[in-house]
Amino acid sequence: MDSTQISRFSLFITVFSCILAFSFGDNSSSTDAHWLLRIKSKLVDPAGVLESWSLRAHICSWNGLTCSHDEAFVIALNLSASTLSGSIPTELWNLVSLQTLDLSLNLITGSIPPEIGRLRNLRTLILFANNLSGKIPTEIGLLKKLQVLRIGDNMLAAQIPPSIGNLTELRVLGLAYCQLNGSIPAEIGNLKNLVFLDLQHNSLSGFIPAGIHNCEELQNFAASNNMLDGEIPASIGKLKSLQILNLANNSLSGSIPPEISGLSNLQYLNLLGNRLNGEIPWELNHLVQLQKLDLSSNNLSGTINLLNIHLQNLQVVVFSNNALTGSIPINFCLKNSNLQQLFLAQNKLSGGFPLGLLNCSSLQQLDLSNNNLEGELPPTIDKLEKLTDLLLNNNSFNGSLPPEIGNMSNLENLYLFDNMITGSIPVEIGKLQSLSTIYLYDNQMSGSIPMELTNCASLTAIDFFGNHFSGSIPETIGKLKDLVLLQLRQNDLSGPIPPSLGYCKKLQQLALADNKLSGSLPATFRFLSQLSTITLYNNSFEGPLPDSLYSLRNLKIINFSHNKFSGTILPLTGSNSLTALDLTNNSFSGSIPSRLAISTNLGRLRLANNLLNGSIPSELGRLKELIFLDLSFNNLTGEVPSQLSTCQKLQHLLLNDNHFTGKMPSWLGSLHDLGELHLSSNNFQGQVPAELGNCSRLLKLSLHTNNLSGQIPHEIGQLTSLNVLNLQRNNLSGSIPPTIQQCKKLYELRLSENLLSGPIPSEIGKLTELQVILDLSRNLLSGEIPSSLGDLLKLERLNLSFNRLGGELPSSLGQLTSLVMLNLSNNHLRGQLSSTFSGFPPTSFSGNDKLCGPPLTSCMDSAGHENNILSSTAVVCIIVAIVFTSTVICLVMIYIMLRMWCNMREVLISNSSEGGGNGIEQIKREDQERWMYGDEKKRKGEYWRVMSSMALVHSQNHNDHISSSCIFQVRMDTKKLGI
């Protein structure tokens, strides 16, 4: 027999049983039994709560049913918290005698059928905490006898039907925790018997209806966490029976109506999280029954004028996050006060510690944080002997901690951070056996951490960050067996980590960074099995890491950077829970362990500035959560493994200052989340991959100091988010792509020391965010400087030196008023400099021979200098001409004189043939006279006489003399003729 046949058979037995019941039993109860059995068949009952529903038993004994006194009718059906599922069976509407229906706390789905209006005898309808959806049916207004309606904590939507105002007998209306919208219907004021109204956690909007004051019996009104706006109606003060008023987390505005003081029975008032303004009305002192008052997170101002002398039943006061000013009244508390909690945080209260609070002997929690309180803490603070929580953080308290604080034996949480407290921690603090949390960070405290602190056996959290504590960590720190957080960062602590720290076995967070600690890590660290975060950076720890660290399998964050650790990093690879590992600036050596790949949740891996060698393990490609990878400033070699392309969440990839080789990987373009790529100072070759243009989120691209060649790809223009582009010191050639204009967020552009050629594209002028530098120096750029560069108004440094740029300097460059460095040297620029450039040194323009004007020589001096050069040339030419002419004249005269002399010699020779004499002696004598007296005789007119006397001389060498003279004469003639 299959399941279909079994179902049919069961249905037949049920119907047959009902027929028998109708034949032999009471008509009414038998009819109800029929419908109830039908209801049973429609519901899913995994817990078997409906197993008793059988004709073998009397209907009035069925689970969840209540019959009338004569057992003629079923008047109540209560199946609450029975794990039933399915929709509300339509057969229910046939149980017309029902007075109570409770299906709450189940898994009922679907909507509330409109047929529910047929249950005219219903007094209690409870359907809360199911999965009902749809709207509240208008027909619910037909249930005139209804007194309790609780259908909240479902997924009901739409508006509250106005017909609900017809339920004049209603005492309880619960519609909370749904998705109801629209406004609260004005008809709610018709419910004069209403005692409980719960509308909280919906999306109701609009005003609170003024007619609500007609609900004179109302004791509980909760409409918190909606979107109600407007003012709180003054008429609400007429609800004399009201005990609870909760309008928190809406958008109510205006001031708190003084009429609210008419709620003489009010015990709970919650108006937090609205937009109320003005002062706290003094009339609230009339609410003598008030126990809890919360006005926090509004815009209330003025002073606190509530006095405990009137509000003697007040236990909780919360005025936090307002704009209250002044000080707390000295008579705020009576000695027999019942006040237990006082929260005044995030206001503008001023003055010293409010001494009036010392009378609040019953106070257990006091929060005065985030105010403008100042002065020293009173030594009588120990009068608050029942205090468990003292929050005075974010004020301006100064002075030292009073030793009397050690008498507050019930103190559990002490928050004094972000003040100006000085001095040391009093040793009396060790008496606080109940102390669980002590936060003293961001003060100016000094001295050593007292060993007595370790007597506070209940301590779970210590935070002394940002003080001036010195000395060593207490050796007995291991006594704090329950310690979970130890934060001692940014102090002046020294010495080693005490081995006893390893016995704080519940420790989860250890922060000792930014101190002067030294030594090696204790082997007892192996006992810190629950440790998840350890930060030791900026200390002087040294030596290899202990192998015991390998056993810390729960470590998530490790930061040992800026120490002197050495050896391998293998001991830190034991945890597969690691999310961040930072070992930068140490002396770790060896290779990067491939075992790091087991930490599949690793998001940050920083191993920069070490002595690591070898290649990047391909196993790192398994780190799918990796966001930050920094291996810079090591001795790593080889190619970048292609397996890193699977790290699709990478945002920062820093491999600079290593010895990587090969081509720059094209798969980098597949890392679409990449925001920083730093591969500079390596030995990469080949071209800049065009695929980098796919990294649309890239903010910084630095590839400088490699051996890259080829052109800058046009796809670089697709990097529209780019802030920094540095391609300097490569062998890039070709022109600067004009598509670079699309990188409109660039504020630093460096393309210097390449082989780039062609003109500077005018499109660079569209990079109006350029600020840090535009460096195109030491290339082969030519043409004129584009005038569009004058649009770079934010630019601070411009370097176009050592190129082949020509033409005049565009006047638009004078608009660059933010420039602090300008270098246009060693180009072919010409023309006159604008006066706006006079403040730059001459070296900014040197090497441009045709450029003039301040700070170079003035253009007039330059022109004058050129004229002077022309005049000098002319003078030289004239001098040369004069010298040449004079030389020619002298040579002609010498020639004439020689001719005359030769002719006279011939006369002498001819005369000598006619007479003799002692000619030799005469010549000798004349020669001696000539050497002795020089030309004096010539000046006396005896020249010719000498010549005449010489003509009388007889010489035996006559022929030789003539020959010699003739030869000289011929040579002179040949020179003269240019032969």
Side-chain angles (χ1 to χ4, degrees):
M1 187 179 293
D2 58 19
S3 59
T4 305
Q5 292 174 324
I6 292 174
S7 300
R8 290 175 179 173
F9 180 74
S10 301
L11 181 59
F12 170 76
I13 293 297
T14 301
V15 173
F16 181 72
S17 300
C18 291
I19 293 172
L20 289 177
F22 295 157
S23 302
F24 303 105
D26 180 84
N27 260 353
S28 298
S29 60
S30 299
T31 303
D32 288 349
H34 166 72
W35 296 119
L36 287 167
L37 289 174
R38 294 286 299 273
I39 291 169
K40 175 184 177 181
S41 67
K42 297 288 183 66
L43 294 173
V44 179
D45 178 22
V49 295
L50 303 180
E51 286 182 358
S52 62
W53 289 21
S54 170
L55 294 179
R56 291 189 296 270
H58 193 276
I59 187 174
C60 294
S61 67
W62 291 5
N63 182 40
L65 296 185
T66 302
C67 294
S68 58
H69 290 298
D70 58 2
E71 297 186 349
F73 305 101
V74 174
I75 61 173
L77 175 57
N78 186 348
L79 297 176
S80 176
S82 299
T83 65
L84 297 173
S85 60
S87 58
I88 299 176
T90 56
E91 289 78 3
L92 264 176
W93 321 132
N94 295 306
L95 302 177
V96 293
S97 299
L98 270 183
Q99 298 177 15
T100 299
L101 175 59
D102 187 352
L103 298 178
S104 63
L105 298 163
N106 281 290
L107 303 170
I108 306 295
T109 56
S111 61
I112 302 174
E115 291 83 359
I116 198 168
R118 293 164 55 181
L119 301 179
R120 301 296 178 86
N121 291 310
L122 209 57
R123 289 175 172 80
T124 301
L125 176 57
I126 304 177
L127 302 176
F128 71 86
N130 278 285
N131 294 320
L132 295 170
S133 57
K135 64 180 182 178
I136 301 172
T138 304
E139 289 78 4
I140 208 162
L142 300 174
L143 307 178
K144 298 294 183 63
K145 296 181 181 180
L146 202 61
Q147 297 178 6
V148 177
L149 176 58
R150 299 183 62 191
I151 56 177
D153 199 5
N154 278 288
M155 294 183 289
L156 298 171
Q159 299 184 0
I160 301 172
S163 62
I164 212 161
N166 300 330
L167 308 177
T168 55
E169 298 296 321
L170 202 62
R171 296 179 59 82
V172 176
L173 177 56
L175 304 178
Y177 295 94
C178 288
Q179 300 170 16
L180 299 172
N181 53 44
S183 59
I184 302 173
E187 290 79 2
I188 210 89
N190 299 336
L191 307 180
K192 299 185 182 298
N193 294 307
L194 198 62
V195 174
F196 182 96
L197 176 58
D198 190 358
L199 305 176
Q200 59 189 345
H201 287 276
N202 279 287
S203 298
L204 298 172
S205 58
F207 298 165
I208 298 172
I212 199 168
H213 72 274
N214 294 322
C215 305
E216 296 176 352
E217 301 296 323
L218 197 60
Q219 297 178 14
N220 187 330
F221 178 28
S224 62
N225 294 281
N226 279 284
M227 295 184 290
L228 299 173
D229 53 21
E231 297 185 354
I232 300 173
S235 60
I236 208 167
K238 297 179 180 180
L239 300 174
K240 303 296 183 182
S241 300
L242 200 63
Q243 298 176 12
I244 296 175
L245 177 58
N246 186 356
L247 302 176
N249 295 317
N250 280 284
S251 297
L252 298 171
S253 58
S255 59
I256 300 172
E259 290 81 1
I260 211 167
S261 62
L263 305 176
S264 55
N265 290 302
L266 197 65
Q267 299 176 15
Y268 179 93
L269 176 58
N270 191 346
L271 302 178
L272 81 88
N274 281 283
R275 300 174 183 174
L276 300 171
N277 53 41
E279 297 187 358
I280 300 173
W282 186 90
E283 288 81 0
L284 293 186
N285 284 300
H286 295 154
L287 302 176
V288 294
Q289 299 297 325
L290 199 61
Q291 297 177 13
K292 296 182 179 180
L293 174 62
D294 192 344
L295 305 179
S296 60
S297 299
N298 280 285
N299 298 317
L300 299 173
S301 57
T303 59
I304 297 174
N305 51 21
L306 295 184
L307 301 177
N308 191 236
I309 190 171
H310 302 293
L311 304 174
Q312 297 184 16
N313 292 309
L314 205 57
Q315 299 175 10
V316 179
V317 174
V318 187
F319 291 167
S320 302
N321 198 17
N322 277 288
L324 299 174
T325 57
S327 58
I328 300 172
I330 192 69
N331 54 349
F332 181 80
C333 264
L334 295 174
K335 290 188 176 181
N336 58 349
S337 166
N338 290 314
L339 192 63
Q340 299 175 8
Q341 297 174 319
L342 178 60
F343 300 104
L344 304 177
Q346 293 185 326
N347 279 285
K348 299 178 181 179
L349 300 175
S350 57
F353 183 90
L355 298 178
L357 295 182
L358 299 179
N359 294 325
C360 304
S361 56
S362 58
L363 203 60
Q364 297 176 11
Q365 293 177 307
L366 175 61
D367 187 356
L368 302 177
S369 62
N370 290 278
N371 278 287
N372 299 321
L373 300 173
E374 57 188 4
E376 298 187 5
L377 299 182
T380 53
I381 197 170
D382 58 346
K383 287 186 176 181
L384 301 175
E385 54 186 19
K386 293 184 180 180
L387 205 64
T388 60
D389 301 297
L390 178 59
L391 289 78
L392 303 178
N393 53 282
N394 295 94
N395 279 287
S396 298
F397 289 114
N398 52 40
S400 58
L401 285 181
E404 290 80 3
I405 206 167
N407 299 327
M408 304 172 72
S409 56
N410 291 304
L411 198 61
E412 297 176 5
N413 298 297
L414 178 59
Y415 292 2
L416 298 176
F417 60 87
D418 204 358
N419 278 285
M420 294 185 286
I421 297 174
T422 57
S424 59
I425 301 173
V427 296
E428 288 80 2
I429 203 100
K431 296 191 293 182
L432 301 178
Q433 294 297 306
S434 299
L435 192 63
S436 173
T437 303
I438 178 169
Y439 285 175
L440 303 179
Y441 63 84
D442 283 328
N443 277 288
Q444 299 173 18
M445 303 186 71
S446 58
S448 60
I449 299 174
M451 191 171 295
E452 288 78 3
L453 182 65
T454 62
N455 295 330
C456 303
S458 300
L459 269 175
T460 61
I462 298 174
D463 194 340
F464 294 167
F465 164 83
N467 280 282
H468 305 290
F469 291 116
S470 57
S472 59
I473 301 172
E475 291 288 338
T476 54
I477 193 77
K479 292 166 61 177
L480 303 177
K481 305 297 183 182
D482 294 327
L483 196 62
V484 175
L485 166 68
L486 179 59
Q487 170 64 275
L488 303 178
R489 187 165 76 91
Q490 279 193 19
N491 280 284
D492 296 318
L493 298 171
S494 58
I497 298 175
S500 69
L501 183 61
Y503 301 115
C504 301
K505 296 183 179 180
K506 294 183 180 180
L507 195 63
Q508 296 178 16
Q509 294 179 301
L510 176 61
L512 305 179
D514 295 307
N515 278 286
K516 300 175 183 177
L517 299 169
S518 58
S520 58
L521 302 186
T524 54
F525 265 30
R526 67 182 182 276
F527 300 127
L528 302 177
S529 58
Q530 296 186 34
L531 194 64
S532 64
T533 300
I534 177 170
T535 58
L536 306 179
Y537 57 87
N538 286 338
N539 278 289
S540 298
F541 293 114
E542 58 188 3
L545 300 175
D547 292 337
S548 57
L549 292 180
Y550 191 81
S551 61
L552 304 182
R553 300 301 173 89
N554 291 313
L555 275 174
K556 294 182 179 179
I557 299 175
I558 301 175
N559 193 335
F560 289 178
S561 63
H562 295 85
N563 276 286
K564 301 176 183 178
F565 288 116
S566 58
T568 69
I569 63 176
L570 193 62
L572 297 176
T573 61
S575 173
N576 56 6
S577 302
L578 267 183
T579 60
L581 176 61
D582 191 343
L583 305 179
T584 56
N585 287 91
N586 278 284
S587 298
F588 289 110
S589 57
S591 59
I592 300 172
S594 59
R595 183 176 170 79
L596 278 173
I598 69 168
S599 303
T600 53
N601 292 317
L602 193 61
R604 296 174 66 88
L605 178 58
R606 305 192 66 178
L607 305 178
N609 289 92
N610 279 286
L611 304 173
L612 299 173
N613 53 39
S615 58
I616 300 175
S618 60
E619 290 83 356
L620 294 189
R622 301 176 193 167
L623 302 177
K624 309 298 184 186
E625 302 299 317
L626 199 61
I627 294 174
F628 203 122
L629 177 59
D630 185 359
L631 305 179
S632 59
F633 293 97
N634 278 288
N635 297 315
L636 299 172
T637 57
E639 297 187 1
V640 181
S642 60
Q643 288 82 355
L644 287 184
S645 64
T646 60
C647 303
Q648 286 293 302
K649 294 185 179 180
L650 260 181
Q651 297 177 14
H652 304 269
L653 179 57
L654 286 75
L655 304 179
N656 54 289
D657 292 272
N658 279 285
H659 305 292
F660 291 116
T661 56
K663 292 184 177 181
M664 192 158 290
S666 60
W667 52 258
L668 289 170
S670 67
L671 303 178
H672 299 302
D673 288 339
L674 202 61
E676 181 181 14
L677 179 60
H678 203 343
L679 304 181
S680 58
S681 298
N682 279 287
N683 296 314
F684 288 113
Q685 301 173 0
Q687 297 184 343
V688 177
E691 291 81 359
L692 285 179
N694 299 326
C695 302
S696 57
R697 298 183 181 178
L698 203 60
L699 300 176
K700 180 177 182 180
L701 176 58
S702 183
L703 308 178
H704 72 81
T705 319
N706 278 286
N707 296 317
L708 300 174
S709 58
Q711 296 185 346
I712 300 174
H714 288 269
E715 289 79 2
I716 209 82
Q718 299 174 19
L719 304 179
T720 54
S721 299
L722 202 62
N723 296 146
V724 176
L725 176 59
N726 191 341
L727 303 179
Q728 64 186 10
R729 298 193 191 100
N730 280 287
N731 297 315
L732 299 172
S733 58
S735 59
I736 299 173
T739 55
I740 203 168
Q741 66 176 310
Q742 300 168 21
C743 306
K744 295 186 182 299
K745 296 182 179 180
L746 268 179
Y747 62 78
E748 181 176 343
L749 177 58
R750 299 176 187 264
L751 304 179
S752 63
E753 298 184 59
N754 279 287
L755 302 172
L756 299 173
S757 59
I760 299 174
S762 61
E763 289 83 358
I764 285 185
K766 296 181 180 179
L767 303 177
T768 54
E769 294 300 316
L770 270 179
Q771 179 177 354
V772 176
I773 192 170
L774 171 59
D775 190 354
L776 307 179
S777 63
R778 297 183 184 275
N779 279 286
L780 304 174
L781 299 172
S782 58
E784 297 185 351
I785 298 174
S787 60
S788 61
L789 294 190
D791 297 330
L792 307 179
L793 301 180
K794 298 180 180 180
L795 195 62
E796 296 176 355
R797 292 185 291 172
L798 175 61
N799 192 347
L800 305 179
S801 62
F802 290 95
N803 278 287
R804 299 173 180 176
L805 300 171
E808 295 186 354
L809 206 61
S811 59
S812 60
L813 292 188
Q815 303 172 19
L816 304 181
T817 55
S818 298
L819 275 183
V820 295
M821 189 280 283
L822 175 65
N823 192 348
L824 305 177
S825 63
N826 295 285
N827 280 286
H828 306 304
L829 300 172
R830 58 183 173 78
Q832 182 174 356
L833 290 173
S834 169
S835 59
T836 55
F837 298 113
S838 59
F840 293 101
T843 53
S844 296
F845 309 98
S846 61
N848 293 283
D849 296 334
K850 298 183 179 180
L851 206 57
C852 62
L856 302 177
T857 57
S858 69
C859 293
M860 291 182 63
D861 292 341
S862 179
H865 180 63
E866 291 182 5
N867 291 333
N868 289 338
I869 291 174
L870 291 173
S871 300
S872 299
T873 303
V875 169
V876 170
C877 292
I878 292 171
I879 292 174
V880 170
I882 293 172
V883 171
F884 178 76
T885 303
S886 301
T887 303
V888 172
I889 293 171
C890 290
L891 289 174
V892 170
M893 291 179 65
I894 292 172
Y895 169 73
I896 293 171
M897 291 175 63
L898 288 176
R899 288 284 293 179
M900 291 173 61
W901 187 73
C902 288
N903 291 332
M904 287 187 290
R905 291 278 296 181
E906 291 176 359
V907 171
L908 288 174
I909 292 171
S910 62
N911 291 335
S912 64
S913 61
E914 297 177 357
N918 194 1
I920 294 175
E921 287 79 2
Q922 179 67 29
I923 292 173
K924 286 181 180 180
R925 188 167 53 250
E926 294 293 336
D927 285 340
Q928 287 176 359
E929 290 178 1
R930 183 167 59 86
W931 284 109
M932 288 176 65
Y933 304 108
D935 294 331
E936 289 183 12
K937 293 183 178 180
K938 296 177 185 177
R939 289 195 293 269
K940 293 179 181 178
E942 296 182 3
Y943 179 84
W944 290 109
R945 250 170 40 202
V946 171
M947 290 295 108
S948 300
S949 63
M950 288 178 65
L952 301 175
V953 177
H954 173 75
S955 176
Q956 294 180 351
N957 295 326
H958 172 70
N959 294 329
D960 293 338
H961 231 45
I962 295 173
S963 175
S964 177
S965 300
C966 293
I967 290 172
F968 178 75
Q969 181 181 352
V970 172
R971 284 180 181 170
M972 289 299 296
D973 290 343
T974 56
K975 284 184 180 180
K976 182 176 174 182
L977 296 171
I979 298 173

